[in-house]
């Protein structure tokens, strides 16, 4: 291995260990590695150019708008309405509140595009509510943490936009549609685990809702749920692109939050806009520095070396894909999703394609894999938020998380080895191959 690559890896890990922000760690490590190849000024200039080039994409314009729409929906009273809607759907089955938690997190995560926002908004209400009904607090927090990640598969999803950039242009519309069935599959897997747990622990069963209550709660939630229909329907129907859809999502979320639900005041908008700018800046800095590191690795032929090593590991595609998944799981434990997608897509995508996997299928597999990392220690952002809301510790959450990890891993294997789960809907809507 080249000395520059060793410097890159060692410096990156060392910077993370002393709590340097991930984006800064990636950028500094890349510059240090390049100093072993070229002089300081050319090294810094090259990194800056690669960062700028990584951000020079029209598709990335969708990210700030989807971030803003998510913040508006998060402050706009959406969570409470989705929870009430989920209650009338599944609250009467054994372990019904656990199902309500999962459905609410999935829907809110999909609408807001943020797993952290889903954990905060849904967990803030559901964790104490479920505890009052006799559910274990740690188990409740574990449900919230894992279920919140499913929203990253169901559009609008910023991470799928980033994968489109990293893969060289896989259709965002196709990726958006492809994420539905895998996201639902993960939710169903989590529900299965919760049903068994609820039966063993004899958790309470909710009452059957009255017809009028069912209609009322459904009607209250419809405006929020319509955002998904509006965005995806418009993209699939060819009325607008994903970037244009992000602007429409902002306008709709603004109208819903300020005019319809009246949960957001006009005086709150400057704060929300500022938060959206801050979040976008963090994401774009990650994209820029990760693109530079990815270029550095490609310059040193690391993707080709890893590809050759994997192809010589076994002649069995099952074994190679399992190995890729295990590596990505390990990466997800220690690295945020955005740099992981940008750095490792150029490394593993050629291997997957050589095995007959489509770039669309690989993207969904990769995002689902990294979703597991969001709820695993030591750096899982969603896990930390869930612990904070539940006022518990990571150590206490590990035991109830284990069966939920197992459910997510089984879903991952199904998505990996059954291409139709990811490819059926894009094919049905004529988006496959775009």
């Amino acid at each position: 291995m080249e000395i520059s690559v060793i410097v890159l890896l060692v410096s990156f890990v060392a910077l993370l260990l002393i709590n340097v922000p991930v984006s800064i760690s990636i950028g500094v490590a890349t510059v240090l590695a390049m100093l072993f190849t070229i002089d300081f000024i050319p090294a810094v200039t090259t990194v800056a150019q690669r960062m700028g080039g990584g951000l020079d994409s029209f598709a990335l314009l969708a990210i700030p708008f989807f971030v803003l729409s998510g913040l508006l929906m998060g402050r706009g009273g959406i969570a409470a309405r989705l929870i009430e809607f989920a209650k009338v759907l599944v609250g009467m089955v054994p372990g019904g509140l656990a199902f309500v938690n999962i459905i609410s997190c999935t829907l809110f995560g999909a609408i807001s595009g943020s797993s952290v926002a889903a954990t905060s908004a849904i967990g803030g209400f559901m964790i104490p509510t479920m505890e009052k009904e006799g559910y274990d607090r740690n188990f409740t927090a574990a449900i919230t943490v894992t279920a919140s990640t499913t929203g990253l598969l169901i559009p609008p999803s910023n991470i799928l936009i980033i994968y489109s950039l990293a893969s060289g242009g896989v259709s965002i519309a196709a990726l958006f549609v492809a994420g539905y069935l895998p996201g639902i599959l993960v939710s169903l897997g989590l529900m299965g685990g919760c049903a068994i747990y609820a039966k063993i622990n004899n958790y309470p069963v909710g009452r059957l809702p009255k017809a009028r209550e069912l209609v009322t709660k459904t009607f209250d939630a419809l405006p929020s749920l319509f955002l998904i229909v509006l965005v995806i329907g418009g993209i699939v129907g060819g009325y607008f692109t994903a970037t244009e859809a992000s602007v429409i999502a902002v306008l709709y979320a603004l109208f819903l939050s300020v005019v319809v639900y009246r949960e957001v005041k006009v005086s709150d908008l400057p704060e929300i806009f500022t938060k959206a700018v801050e979040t976008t800046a963090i994401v774009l800095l990650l994209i820029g520095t990760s693109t530079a590191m990815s270029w550095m690795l490609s310059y040193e032929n690391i993707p080709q070396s890893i590809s050759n090593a994997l192809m010589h590991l076994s002649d069995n595609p099952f074994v190679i894909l399992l190995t890729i998944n295990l590596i990505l799981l390990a990466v997800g434990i220690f690295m945020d999703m955005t740099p992981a997608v940008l750095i490792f897509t150029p490394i593993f995508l050629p291997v997957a394609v050589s095995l007959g996997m489509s770039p669309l299928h690989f993207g969904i597999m990769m995002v689902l894999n990294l979703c597991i990392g969001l709820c695993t220690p030591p750096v899982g952002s969603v896990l930390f938020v869930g612990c904070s809301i539940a006022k518990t510790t990571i150590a206490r959450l590990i035991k109830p998380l284990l069966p939920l990890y197992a459910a997510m891993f089984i879903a991952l294997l199904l998505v990996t080895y059954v291409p139709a789960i990811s490819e059926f809907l894009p094919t049905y809507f004529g988006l496959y191959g775009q």
Side-chain angles (χ1 to χ4, degrees), residues 115-116 119 145 149 152 332-333 335-337 373-387:
S115 56
V116 172
T119 303
V145 165
T149 63
L152 297 177
I333 291 174
M335 186 179 288
D336 188 71
M337 289 186 79
L374 291 177
C375 44
T376 55
V379 295
S381 56
V382 177
L383 179 61
F384 282 106
V385 173
C387 288

Side-chain angles (χ1 to χ4, degrees), residues 251-265:
L251 295 175
Y252 183 75
L254 189 64
F255 174 75
L256 200 63
S257 302
V258 177
V259 179
V260 179
Y261 292 154
R262 299 182 180 179
E263 299 279 349
V264 174
K265 299 177 182 178

Side-chain angles (χ1 to χ4, degrees), residues 201-250:
N201 291 275
N202 197 28
Y203 281 145
V205 179
R207 64 177 178 82
L208 191 68
K210 297 179 181 179
R212 182 174 181 178
E213 184 182 10
L214 177 62
V215 173
T216 302
K217 301 300 183 184
T218 302
F219 183 78
D220 287 343
L222 279 179
S224 304
L225 297 173
F226 182 71
L227 176 65
I228 301 175
V229 178
L230 178 66
V231 171
I232 301 304
I235 294 174
V236 172
Y239 297 106
F240 39 75
T241 66
T243 304
E244 293 165 345
S246 66
V247 179
I248 293 172
V250 169

Side-chain angles (χ1 to χ4, degrees), residues 7 64 109 114 127 129-130 134 155 167-168 192 194 239 269 291 316 387 406 408:
V7 171
S114 170
I127 291 174
T129 300
M130 291 178 68
S167 63
C194 289
Y239 297 106
L269 293 180
T291 302
N316 190 334
C387 288
M408 295 180 78

Side-chain angles (χ1 to χ4, degrees), residues 53-372:
L55 297 175
D56 186 17
S57 171
F58 181 73
L60 291 181
L61 191 60
I63 291 180
F65 289 109
F66 278 135
V67 168
L68 178 56
S69 69
L71 290 172
L72 288 167
M73 299 295 274
R75 292 279 292 271
I78 309 303
R81 289 168 174 82
L82 292 178
I83 290 172
E84 292 300 319
F85 172 64
K87 277 184 180 179
V88 299
L89 288 181
V90 295
M92 72 296 298
V93 301
L97 279 183
F99 285 25
V100 170
N101 196 339
I102 293 170
I103 293 175
S104 301
C105 285
T106 300
L107 291 175
F108 189 83
I111 290 171
S112 67
S114 170
S115 56
V116 172
T119 303
S120 178
I122 304 299
F125 180 85
M126 288 302 300
I127 291 174
T129 300
M130 291 178 68
E131 188 178 24
K132 289 179 183 178
E133 294 292 331
Y135 288 78
D136 177 69
R137 172 175 284 263
N138 295 315
F139 174 67
T140 302
I143 295 172
T144 307
V145 165
T146 50
S148 297
T149 63
T150 58
L152 297 177
L153 286 164
I154 302 174
S157 170
N158 289 334
I159 196 63
L160 291 178
I161 296 173
I162 293 170
Y163 172 76
S164 173
L165 172 70
S167 63
V170 177
S171 168
I172 296 176
L175 286 167
F176 275 11
V177 174
Y180 273 104
L181 291 183
I184 293 171
L185 178 64
V186 175
S187 295
L188 292 175
L190 294 175
M191 287 182 189
C194 289
I196 296 172
Y197 194 93
K199 193 70 175 177
I200 293 173
N201 291 275
N202 197 28
Y203 281 145
V205 179
R207 64 177 178 82
L208 191 68
K210 297 179 181 179
R212 182 174 181 178
E213 184 182 10
L214 177 62
V215 173
T216 302
K217 301 300 183 184
T218 302
F219 183 78
D220 287 343
L222 279 179
S224 304
L225 297 173
F226 182 71
L227 176 65
I228 301 175
V229 178
L230 178 66
V231 171
I232 301 304
I235 294 174
V236 172
Y239 297 106
F240 39 75
T241 66
T243 304
E244 293 165 345
S246 66
V247 179
I248 293 172
V250 169
L251 295 175
Y252 183 75
L254 189 64
F255 174 75
L256 200 63
S257 302
V258 177
V259 179
V260 179
Y261 292 154
R262 299 182 180 179
E263 299 279 349
V264 174
K265 299 177 182 178
V266 175
S267 58
D268 296 330
L269 293 180
E271 177 192 349
I272 295 174
F273 291 158
T274 302
K275 181 65 176 176
V277 171
E278 292 174 354
T279 303
T280 301
I282 293 171
V283 173
L284 293 183
L285 183 58
L286 273 171
I287 293 173
T289 54
S290 299
T291 302
M293 179 182 277
S294 180
W295 177 86
M296 174 65 189
L297 292 172
S298 297
Y299 181 78
E300 296 292 345
N301 292 319
I302 298 303
Q304 293 88 337
S305 299
I306 295 178
S307 297
N308 291 333
L310 285 172
M311 295 306 290
H312 285 91
L313 176 67
S314 172
D315 295 329
N316 190 334
F318 182 94
V319 174
I320 297 175
L321 289 176
L322 181 61
T323 303
I324 292 175
N325 270 317
L326 292 177
I327 294 173
L328 288 175
L329 284 171
V331 167
I333 291 174
F334 297 102
M335 186 179 288
D336 188 71
M337 289 186 79
T338 297
V341 167
L342 288 167
I343 293 169
F344 289 95
T345 296
I347 294 176
F348 292 127
L349 179 57
V351 179
V353 171
S354 68
L355 296 174
M357 177 180 281
S358 70
L360 178 75
H361 180 194
F362 176 78
I364 299 300
M365 181 197 82
M366 186 180 203
V367 170
L368 172 53
N369 192 309
L370 296 173
C371 282
I372 300 175

Side-chain angles (χ1 to χ4, degrees), residues 406-418:
M408 295 180 78
F409 186 71
I410 291 171
L412 173 62
L413 292 179
L414 288 172
V415 169
T416 300
Y417 297 114
V418 184

